[in-house]
């Protein structure tokens, strides 16, 4: 059985990836990243930055979000949900194949 939420450490990792990939760590940037943050409203976000962010999330969390993720992401919580759904799909495949991915 998988969790539908990230652990506090994983959530902080996600926030860190978002701050890094969207360049929110600068001295002049005061944007807070929370689960309710609307990703597309963060400073400087465009479709390419969002795509790079989702790629970094896939690598950092070892998940496959798929191309449809770019239209499904509105808030940071949406990214968390997609991570958990990907983990669930992977877990289902491993269970149905007798333990082989």
């Amino acid at each position: 059985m998988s969790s539908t939420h990230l652990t506090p450490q994983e959530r902080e990792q996600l926030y860190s990836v978002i701050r890094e990939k969207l360049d929110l760590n600068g001295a002049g940037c005061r944007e807070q990243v929370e689960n309710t943050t609307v990703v597309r409203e963060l400073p400087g976000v465009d479709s390419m930055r969002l795509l790079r962010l989702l790629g970094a999330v896939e690598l950092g969390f070892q998940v496959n979000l798929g191309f449809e993720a770019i239209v499904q992401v509105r808030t940071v919580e949406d990214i968390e949900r997609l991570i958990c759904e990907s983990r669930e799909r992977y877990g289902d495949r491993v269970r149905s194949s007798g333990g082989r991915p």
Side-chain angles (χ1 to χ4, degrees):
M1 182 162 144
S2 71
S3 171
T4 56
H5 297 288
L6 300 179
T7 66
Q9 295 84 3
E10 288 175 320
R11 187 170 290 128
E12 196 50 49
Q13 176 188 353
L14 175 59
Y15 294 171
S16 179
V17 168
I18 291 169
R19 284 191 297 269
E20 177 187 332
K21 290 300 171 187
L22 299 181
D23 203 21
L24 301 177
N25 291 325
C29 187
R30 303 233 185 276
E31 289 294 327
Q32 292 293 327
V33 176
E34 303 172 338
N35 254 8
T36 57
T37 299
V38 177
V39 177
R40 293 179 204 293
E41 292 179 2
L42 289 168
V45 171
D46 59 21
S47 58
M48 287 308 295
R49 277 195 165 180
L50 183 57
L51 191 58
R52 283 193 292 269
L53 167 63
L54 294 176
V57 167
E58 286 185 330
L59 289 173
F61 287 87
Q62 299 181 349
V63 294
N64 182 4
L65 303 180
F67 289 112
E68 65 277 0
I70 198 161
V71 295
Q72 294 177 354
V73 170
R74 183 177 184 296
T75 65
V76 173
E77 188 172 36
D78 293 332
I79 298 173
E80 179 175 337
R81 178 182 45 78
L82 289 168
I83 291 169
C84 294
E85 286 174 0
S86 176
R87 288 176 173 173
E88 182 67 28
R89 283 191 308 271
Y90 176 77
D92 287 347
R93 282 196 305 271
V94 170
R95 284 187 291 278
S96 69
S97 67
R100 293 178 310 279

